Amino acid sequence: MGKQISLEALPLYAQVKAQLVGRIEAGDWKPGQSIPNEFALAGELGVSQGTVRKALGEMTADKLLVRRQGRGTFVAELTPEAMMFRYFNFYDEEGKHIAPDTLWVRAKSAQANGVECRHLGLERGCRVVRINRVRNHNEKRFIYEQIVVSEELFPGLAEEAEIPNTLYDHFQRVYGVTITGGDERLDAVLARPREARLLDVEAGSPLLRLNRLAYSFDQRPIEWRVSLCSTEGAQYLVRLK
């Protein structure tokens, strides 16, 4: 693990940003709630309005905050629609965004294995919730997902009567855990017999594998997700900006 940088070593605006992010994490400002204006925050923190403005600007760019003309600045509130467009990057051949449905889903609690501990930064013996689901589009099986999260962060998730189609807004609304970004790696694999059966394809068919690690405000790993995708009639789009 790399050397930790102390808060005092950061530029002043970054220190302010860290304090404000910490207050959101602590629940001082809830999702969808407005935060004090620049003038009030500057007075409270003993810094200039320009410093606060720069900190808020970065938080807005990071999609932690939303600025609404004439109304103020609000803590970003995750919605199913926003999560689908931000974290699901498949489009059909006509360029229309694909929003899959859940065909079936199962969740269970288990002791974390070594790979899960490594990805999520957990101690040996910790428990996780494993979610397996198949998602479809236009009545065709599209994705088989394997999702792992810490049971400590999401107590009772495995016993919920219904696991929603989009999870990140559910995590924020029910458990107070906000996903702010992540890393996603792609490679091509061949469908093994069980995966082929779940996706209704021939064994040995090519699949796109998405390996995602999703993070919270402080870059703590929250979710490890592996998605196997049958991409017939679908394309994975990355916009370069």
Side-chain angles (χ1 to χ4, degrees):
M1 182 177 295
K3 183 178 179 181
Q4 297 294 315
I5 300 176
S6 67
L7 192 61
E8 293 75 15
L10 296 174
L12 187 55
Y13 80 88
Q15 296 181 39
V16 169
K17 177 184 176 182
Q19 291 181 60
L20 298 179
V21 168
R23 292 180 64 175
I24 293 174
E25 284 190 287
D28 293 353
W29 301 314
K30 304 293 184 184
Q33 180 181 346
S34 64
I35 68 171
N37 60 36
E38 293 176 2
F39 179 80
L41 287 172
E44 178 183 342
L45 299 174
V47 297
S48 70
Q49 283 184 252
T51 297
V52 171
R53 187 176 302 118
K54 188 169 183 179
L56 296 181
E58 284 210 351
M59 293 172 70
T60 301
D62 292 341
K63 301 186 186 301
L64 305 181
L65 299 175
V66 177
R67 286 178 169 162
R68 296 173 182 160
Q69 188 67 33
R71 296 181 57 193
T73 302
F74 297 77
V75 178
E77 186 173 19
L78 306 184
T79 65
E81 296 77 17
M83 292 305 93
M84 189 63 73
F85 273 93
R86 182 176 176 188
Y87 290 102
F88 196 81
N89 299 312
F90 281 98
Y91 290 76
D92 66 19
E93 294 172 339
E94 297 179 354
K96 296 179 180 178
H97 185 254
I98 294 175
D101 300 312
T102 296
L103 180 63
W104 65 259
V105 59
R106 295 171 185 164
K108 67 177 181 178
S109 170
Q111 183 171 314
N113 60 38
V115 177
E116 292 165 339
C117 287
R118 185 172 70 251
H119 277 88
L120 295 174
L122 303 176
E123 299 291 335
R124 292 178 62 89
C126 287
R127 296 191 67 80
V128 294
V129 176
R130 296 176 184 149
I131 299 172
N132 290 267
R133 67 179 175 181
V134 172
R135 306 177 85 178
N136 63 349
H137 175 65
N138 288 341
E139 300 183 355
K140 291 182 61 176
R141 297 188 178 211
F142 184 29
I143 299 175
Y144 170 52
E145 292 181 325
Q146 301 169 83
I147 299 166
V148 185
V149 296
S150 165
E151 189 174 56
E152 182 179 1
L153 287 179
F154 302 98
L157 177 61
E159 288 76 43
E160 287 192 20
E162 183 176 351
I163 303 295
N165 188 43
T166 56
L167 289 175
Y168 295 171
D169 53 301
H170 186 68
F171 289 170
Q172 184 187 65
R173 184 177 62 257
V174 176
Y175 297 96
V177 177
T178 299
I179 299 292
T180 60
D183 298 323
E184 192 163 76
R185 293 174 171 82
L186 287 72
D187 63 353
V189 297
L190 300 179
R192 294 175 293 188
R194 180 173 183 271
E195 300 157 356
R197 185 174 66 255
L198 289 170
L199 290 172
D200 195 22
V201 297
E202 295 290 333
S205 297
L207 301 175
L208 182 65
R209 180 171 59 187
L210 281 61
N211 195 320
R212 176 190 298 174
L213 198 57
Y215 299 96
S216 63
F217 290 112
D218 57 357
Q219 293 298 295
R220 178 174 47 156
I222 300 296
E223 178 208 65
W224 177 36
R225 177 184 306 212
V226 178
S227 303
L228 295 171
C229 314
S230 175
T231 58
E232 181 181 354
Q235 299 174 342
Y236 188 91
L237 174 66
V238 178
R239 298 191 183 278
L240 304 178
K241 297 182 179 180

